[in-house]
Every structure is written in structure tokens, then in C-alpha cells.
Amino acid sequence: MNRHRSCLLLALAVAATLASAQEPPLSEATGECLVCHEMLHPGIVADWRSSLHATVTPGRALAVQGLRRVSSETVPEKLRDVVVGCAECHTQRPDAHADTFDHGGHAVHVVVSPADCATCHAVEVDQYSRNLMAHAYGNLERNPVYQDLQRNILGPLVREAGTLEHGQPDADTKAVACLYCHGTALQVTGKETRETELGEMEFPVIAGWPNQGVGRVNLDGTLGSCSACHTRHRFSIAEARQPYTCKECHVGPDVPAFKVYSASKHGTIYHSEGKDWNFAAVPWTVEDFRAPTCAVCHISQVVDASGEVVAERTHEMMDRLGWRIFGLVYAHPQPKSPDTTIIRNKDGLPLPTDFGGGFAGEFLIDERERAARRERMSRICRSCHADSWVRGHFARHDRAIATTNAAVAAGTGVMAEIWSRGFAAGLDRESSPFDEAIERTWTDTWLFHANSIRFATAMAGGGDYAVFADGFYTLSKQIRELHDWLGLRELVEPAAAEPAGSAAAVPPAQDP
């Protein structure tokens, strides 16, 4: 308690002089925060002190001509001439946050949301809200098909009377698994008094916290977490541009982007020379790096040596992508809306394709929009490659989409026949399509192996990821296992071998 009293007295003595002594100036409230938290959480404060937030006022940032990091047209007057510190983020909009509590005489909230960041970064927050990532929690948790797959992966296994069943996964298991990246839904469940180094203090209890998932549902109702890429409390643009940042969630085997990148020529150059590149430059020119990173292709504004814009900065992520190569069950055009729970295929399921490979076209972007998005991406490629190289690259990628979709259609046709003959219980019998061993073999074909091939071709390399490292070899092997499994069951149970007709109706997948 003496430490608590000493800290408070020191805060009162020092806070009044901090604003004038600090250049750039601190607000009085942030000065009070730092007096205690520099002692209690020196790592947090050290990160903040090395950030642009701690050295540049929003007013100075607004005065920058051309591309600037503060994208809002204006900022509140009280924020213009002080640096962005603890109070500027954790006391914004206190009435909007369910976790706001009294802390040292200030109305503080624990979780900083995109709406708080929008005070200075309005354009980026608006773009991000239209991004699939922002809706990642709802797209997973409100889709019964995905929920069923998640339960059959994460749910506790119980074996009774010769039957193996998955229970419902608990919240903590989901938080360290699927929802680590997709985001949790935060909820204040009460308050608790804790004994701290500064004495007893009352804090809100937040279910789902901690989490920095891309689709986190925040306590002010907003979606997403800027710190998923710009980690606290440095919020570094250079860090967000590094491939390792994206690797956290895009490492595979379902989305093997980082593994493919690391094995590609681009990745080879990055790992050899990236330590010498300028990842903090704004604008970012094609001379600042010798090979693209994830951010170059998908997010950053890139200009050429003359300052001409090659690609506009975006936080929407998919506006340079025409195809969604993640198999659900097939690669398909990107959805029109980031809220994919509204999608229904021809069978009424909340999936962008049906099991035969047909697209839920009403909900997906058309060919004209796909071409526009490809041109945006191609402009980046043409900064370093000739037009013939770029056209050849995308032609191969299109062929990989068609080839893998056709292979998945063949495997799905076998699986449909297995279901129709009663050898496994699927959706036609109101059962899970993911809870039997043979169904997992089928799931692996589109969730892992077809994806590996598509990513290898999309990212201009990756070598073995298109062949032996979860590529064509494993894809064809598992489809053969499906086929041979059906043949063996027909020998064992010939009376059940007459198909009900549904398997024969599976058409070939659509060609892009």
C-alpha cells in the first residue's frame, strides 16, 4: 500500500510538469499513466516509447503533404498537439465500451477497438470493415457447416458402447485453436477486486480475453483487432509488412501461404536480403525491396521511382484477389459481401459452392470484377516482371484452379456415392459429413491438398508444395483411397451396392 501511495504522490508531482518537459508533449492524463506503468509494465512503456505514437503528434502528421499515416481529415482538437499515449487510446469514447471502469480517476477501457483507432486512421478502419477478416468470427461461428467441422476437430472425444463421439469444444479450447486467428467474442461478465503491487484495485472481468484475432467482436460492438498485424504497443508499419506477421495465421496446411512463400524465389530473396530493406518507408517504392512480401501484394501502397502509384494502399485485403483459392469445398470467386453467412448454394447450404462444384453465383463477384482485381495485382507483378511472364503465371494459376477443382469433384463424387449407398452417414441423413474416418479422407482432399497446389501456383513458386509436400501426389493418393475404400465395401456388402442416384448427379467442377 505504501508503494501505491508513493506512486500516486509521484504522479501528482510529476504529471503537471510532464506536458511542458516532454517534446513532443504528453497529455496530463498520459503522464499520470506513465508514472505508475513505467514501473509496473516497463516492456509496454518501452515499446510505446519507440513508436511513432510517442514522437509525432496527430497535428504534425496531418500537416504531411501527400500520402500520410493519419488518414482522417481531422482529429479532435484536444489530440492535435499531444502525442498518442496511454490515455489517448484507452480513454477514447468511454461510454461506448462495456469494459470502461474507473482507474486512478480516469474512465479507462482495457480493449482498444478499431473505432478508437479510427479517430486518426478512418480510411483504414473503413476498409478493414469491408474485409473478410473483420467478419472472421461470425463467418465461422454462425455457419452450421463450419461449426460442425470445428466440433469434429476440437470437441472432446468420448467412446461409449463402441461409439466414438465428439462433444462440444469449450471456450478456452476454441480460443487457442480456431478463434485464436478468427477472433473471440468479448463479453464483460462482472468485476473483480485484485491485489496489485499498488494495492487493491477493481477491474472488469472479460470473457474471451486476451485475444488479437482478426475478427474479434469488441466490447463496443466493432469487429476486428488492429493489433493482429500492428502489435501492441509499438504498432509498427515495418512489422506489419514482414511475412512473419502473416505467418501467424497463414502457415497451413489449410492455408500454407508462408510455407509456400518461404520456399519460393521471392522467399529466398527475402530471407537472404530482407534484413537490409526499408520496411518503414512511406511511400514504399519498388526500390525499397527486391522481392514482394505479403504486404506488397495485398495491402501496401507501392510507387515506382518516379512516384507513380503502382498499387493503392488498402486494408480490404481481397480487392486485388479475384479467386478465393481456399477450398469450401472448391476454389471459387471471391464473395461480394465480407459476411459470408448470407451465402446459400443451390442445396440451401451456407457454402459458396455445392458439392458438385457449382458456384453460388448470386453471392460471388462476376468475371468483370475478377478481371479488374487481377489487373490491380498484375500491376505489382509488372514492376519486376515482363508482361509475358505475368500472363504466363496467371494462366498456370487458372489451370491449377480448374485442375484441383476437377480432382476434388472426382473425390466428392466417390464420397457422394459412399453416402448414397449407406456406407457413411452424411447430410442426406441429417448427419455430420466430417465425423467418420472416410469422411476425413475426403475432407483432407479439399481442405489441405488442393489448397497446397493452388497456393504454390498463386505465389509463383513453392516447388514441392504443388507435388509431394501435400500437393498433387497426396491429393491423387487420397482420392484413390476413397475409390478403393468404396470398392472394398461393395465386396463386403454387395446388397447395399445399388446407388440411390445422388452420386451420379455430381457434375465436373467449373473451369475459370
Side-chain angles (χ1 to χ4, degrees):
M1 189 60 104
N2 289 337
R3 193 177 186 186
H4 187 196
R5 186 178 296 108
S6 298
C7 183
L8 291 177
L9 290 173
L10 184 59
L12 292 172
V14 173
T17 61
L18 272 172
S20 58
Q22 180 77 10
E23 182 58 45
L26 295 173
S27 67
E28 183 176 339
T30 288
E32 292 180 25
C33 298
L34 289 174
V35 169
C36 291
H37 285 279
E38 192 148 34
M39 175 176 61
L40 297 173
H41 305 113
I44 291 176
V45 175
D47 268 359
W48 172 78
R49 287 197 184 282
S50 63
S51 73
L52 282 177
H53 281 169
T55 57
V56 179
T57 66
R60 275 183 57 197
L62 280 171
V64 172
Q65 298 299 309
L67 182 66
R68 63 181 190 231
R69 303 191 193 205
V70 170
S71 61
S72 300
E73 290 300 319
T74 62
V75 296
E77 192 65 32
K78 66 177 182 179
L79 300 181
R80 289 181 63 91
D81 298 320
V82 295
V83 296
V84 179
C86 321
E88 284 65 44
C89 295
H90 287 276
T91 65
Q92 282 285 329
R93 307 162 48 252
D95 293 340
H97 292 269
D99 58 332
T100 297
F101 68 110
D102 179 78
H103 187 61
H106 296 281
V108 171
H109 56 269
V110 176
V111 183
V112 176
S113 77
D116 298 319
C117 301
T119 303
C120 296
H121 305 287
V123 172
E124 290 78 8
V125 170
D126 176 63
Q127 290 172 339
Y128 191 82
S129 71
R130 303 194 299 270
N131 177 20
L132 277 170
M133 289 182 178
H135 294 261
Y137 173 85
N139 288 344
L140 174 66
E141 292 290 291
R142 294 199 299 271
N143 187 311
V145 178
Y146 303 167
Q147 279 289 287
D148 185 33
L149 176 60
Q150 182 179 226
R151 180 179 62 83
N152 280 284
I153 296 171
L154 305 182
L157 281 166
V158 178
R159 189 171 187 271
E160 292 181 353
T163 301
L164 195 62
E165 298 286 349
H166 281 275
Q168 289 295 335
D170 62 76
D172 287 336
T173 298
K174 291 168 70 173
V176 300
C178 301
L179 299 187
Y180 177 86
C181 290
H182 281 254
T184 54
L186 304 182
Q187 182 180 7
V188 175
T189 59
K191 294 182 179 180
E192 66 177 1
T193 299
R194 299 202 301 263
E195 182 66 37
T196 75
E197 291 189 60
L198 301 179
E200 284 190 351
M201 292 185 179
E202 188 175 67
F203 299 93
V205 178
I206 305 173
W209 182 257
N211 181 267
Q212 279 75 48
V214 294
R216 187 181 70 201
V217 181
N218 297 300
L219 292 165
D220 61 354
T222 59
L223 304 178
S225 169
C226 303
S227 59
C229 301
H230 302 273
T231 61
R232 304 173 301 173
H233 281 85
R234 189 173 294 187
F235 305 106
S236 164
I237 191 173
E239 180 185 271
R241 287 170 167 174
Q242 291 279 352
Y244 298 111
T245 296
C246 304
K247 175 190 177 182
E248 189 171 0
C249 292
H250 294 274
V251 69
D254 55 335
V255 186
F258 183 82
K259 293 191 295 186
V260 169
Y261 177 80
S262 294
S264 72
K265 279 290 185 286
H266 290 157
T268 298
I269 295 170
Y270 166 78
H271 288 298
S272 299
E273 305 174 13
K275 64 183 182 301
D276 300 319
W277 297 350
N278 186 352
F279 282 92
V282 176
W284 213 11
T285 75
V286 292
E287 287 80 11
D288 289 324
F289 47 85
R290 194 174 152 239
T293 66
C294 316
V296 170
C297 293
H298 297 289
I299 304 168
S300 297
Q301 176 159 323
V302 179
V303 302
D304 64 18
S306 66
E308 182 179 349
V309 175
V310 176
E312 296 285 357
R313 180 171 63 187
T314 180
H315 279 60
E316 196 168 335
M317 310 297 183
M318 59 185 186
D319 65 358
R320 302 176 193 172
L321 296 173
W323 285 91
R324 194 178 180 203
I325 57 178
F326 181 62
L328 295 167
V329 171
Y330 302 88
H332 54 278
Q334 289 282 350
K336 293 178 181 177
S337 170
D339 179 4
T340 62
T341 63
I342 66 175
I343 295 175
R344 292 294 180 273
N345 66 17
K346 71 179 181 61
D347 301 315
L349 295 174
L351 295 172
T353 72
D354 54 58
F355 279 8
F359 299 146
E362 176 187 350
F363 301 94
L364 309 177
I365 64 172
D366 60 21
E367 185 176 355
R368 182 175 179 178
E369 178 61 21
R370 294 201 301 273
R373 295 185 183 192
R374 174 159 295 182
E375 174 56 23
R376 292 184 200 120
M377 182 69 81
S378 295
R379 282 178 56 84
I380 300 170
C381 302
R382 289 195 294 266
S383 295
C384 297
H385 298 284
D387 187 62
S388 60
W389 189 100
V390 177
R391 287 186 285 108
H393 163 68
F394 282 112
R396 289 174 178 173
H397 181 46
D398 285 343
R399 177 49 50 196
I401 291 173
T403 302
T404 53
N405 275 359
V408 170
T412 303
V414 177
M415 193 67 236
E417 192 167 339
I418 291 170
W419 283 323
S420 71
R421 296 189 181 200
F423 296 146
L427 292 172
D428 58 336
R429 292 169 61 180
E430 298 184 350
S431 182
S432 170
F434 309 118
D435 63 351
E436 299 181 56
I438 194 61
E439 293 171 332
R440 287 295 186 89
T441 299
W442 166 69
T443 301
D444 287 353
T445 63
W446 51 265
L447 187 58
F448 301 143
H449 311 310
N451 285 348
S452 183
I453 298 162
R454 295 169 191 144
F455 274 92
T457 60
M459 299 173 69
D464 243 9
Y465 288 105
V467 192
F468 295 111
D470 286 334
F472 277 111
Y473 180 87
T474 315
L475 176 62
S476 60
K477 175 176 175 287
Q478 295 211 252
I479 294 173
R480 173 61 64 179
E481 288 175 0
L482 282 168
H483 177 271
D484 291 352
W485 188 94
L486 174 59
L488 288 172
R489 287 300 299 265
E490 289 174 343
L491 290 174
V492 173
E493 302 180 45
E498 196 64 38
S502 61
V506 176
Q510 297 183 29
D511 192 316

